[in-house]
Amino acid sequence: MAEDLRVLIVDDDDFHVARLHVAYVEAAPGFTALDPVGGGEAAARAVQTHRPELVLIDVYLPDWNGLDILRGLDVDAFVLSAASDAESVRKAIRRGALAYLIKPFSADMLAERLRGYARYRRLLDTENALDQKAVERALRQLHPGDGGGRPRSVTERAVLEALTRAAQPSTAVEVAAAVGVSRATAQRYLSSLVEEGTVDVALRYGTTGRPEHQYAPRSPADGGY
């Protein structure tokens, strides 16, 4: 099983808000929250000491502007802030923020962004050279409204549910039979889900004939559905 992705929260809000964001992170499968810190210097020390995979940083900190800190942190980061002006958003993106969430936001919204981030990391977890299609696929995961968390059609949801209910990985033929669609239709949706990073695919070798592709839903801990 993959280790949880560690998240550092950097926030000068009162203790209640910081702990609330910790709870949001802890509730997301595959993520664990480090002890939050309340300033830029503390954030730099914590990143150096704990090497988190992701930092969630506010703009308003007592010692530094969070966007200035962001520029010097060699780590993936989301900005979580009440700062809603366009310049702050542009500056955050310019300085490397992978997402910008305006406070207050729901646990579901942060969880959706975290799931997308997990898929993004998984898709880029390779030693092979990437083509443009692979890069675009990974970047789409960071923006759910643009594809990573897009609304699913009835058929696509049925395909995912069929995979989830199955006791073992399934072929396109088996999924088609479970959903009541043609093999070609099932294959099209399965290929899209694999590209999105929601479903895993592997080869199944039988005693005779050609090997078949088998599909299984990726677990939430690994950034799946």
Side-chain angles (χ1 to χ4, degrees):
M1 180 180 296
E3 293 185 2
D4 284 356
L5 298 174
R6 293 161 301 164
V7 180
L8 174 67
I9 296 168
V10 185
D11 198 318
D12 187 41
D13 279 330
D14 62 43
F15 180 78
H16 172 74
V17 172
R19 298 311 303 180
L20 179 64
H21 292 166
V22 166
Y24 285 179
V25 171
E26 291 285 353
F31 291 87
T32 188
L34 301 171
D35 289 337
V37 297
E41 291 187 3
R45 290 194 300 269
V47 168
Q48 182 68 27
T49 300
H50 300 294
R51 301 292 182 182
E53 282 74 34
L54 181 67
V55 170
L56 309 182
I57 189 168
D58 195 2
V59 171
Y60 304 122
L61 299 174
D63 51 356
W64 290 87
N65 182 293
L67 299 181
D68 293 334
I69 294 296
L70 180 65
R71 182 165 50 187
L73 295 179
D74 186 20
V75 63
D76 291 341
F78 292 176
V79 171
L80 315 182
S81 182
S84 58
D85 59 289
E87 177 57 26
S88 290
V89 176
R90 287 196 299 268
K91 188 179 291 186
I93 300 303
R94 233 176 14 245
R95 295 182 178 179
L98 297 177
Y100 196 109
L101 276 69
I102 297 175
K103 297 179 181 178
F105 50 84
S106 67
D108 287 344
M109 177 176 288
L110 180 57
E112 183 180 46
R113 295 306 190 278
L114 292 175
R115 287 194 297 269
Y117 174 71
R119 291 193 296 268
Y120 160 82
R121 285 186 62 97
R122 186 186 71 80
L123 290 170
L124 294 184
D125 185 17
T126 177
E127 296 180 357
N128 299 325
L130 298 169
D131 58 19
Q132 189 61 41
K133 184 177 180 181
V135 172
E136 296 295 334
R137 183 188 311 149
L139 293 175
R140 280 199 303 271
Q141 310 311 312
L142 297 171
H143 304 282
D146 295 333
R150 56 186 167 74
R152 301 192 186 280
S153 69
V154 173
T155 303
E156 189 174 46
R157 289 199 300 271
V159 167
L160 266 175
E161 290 167 2
L163 288 175
T164 302
R165 289 195 304 267
Q168 59 186 10
S170 305
T171 66
V173 171
E174 291 165 341
V175 171
V179 176
V181 296
S182 69
R183 180 190 181 283
T185 297
Q187 183 67 66
R188 184 170 69 252
Y189 282 108
L190 288 167
S191 296
S192 176
L193 291 167
V194 168
E195 180 175 312
E196 178 185 300
T198 302
V199 168
D200 281 330
V201 61
L203 286 177
R204 180 166 69 189
Y205 293 89
T207 55
T208 60
R210 298 169 58 186
E212 293 183 294
H213 287 95
Q214 59 179 6
Y215 302 86
R218 177 164 284 271
S219 69
D222 292 329
Y225 178 66

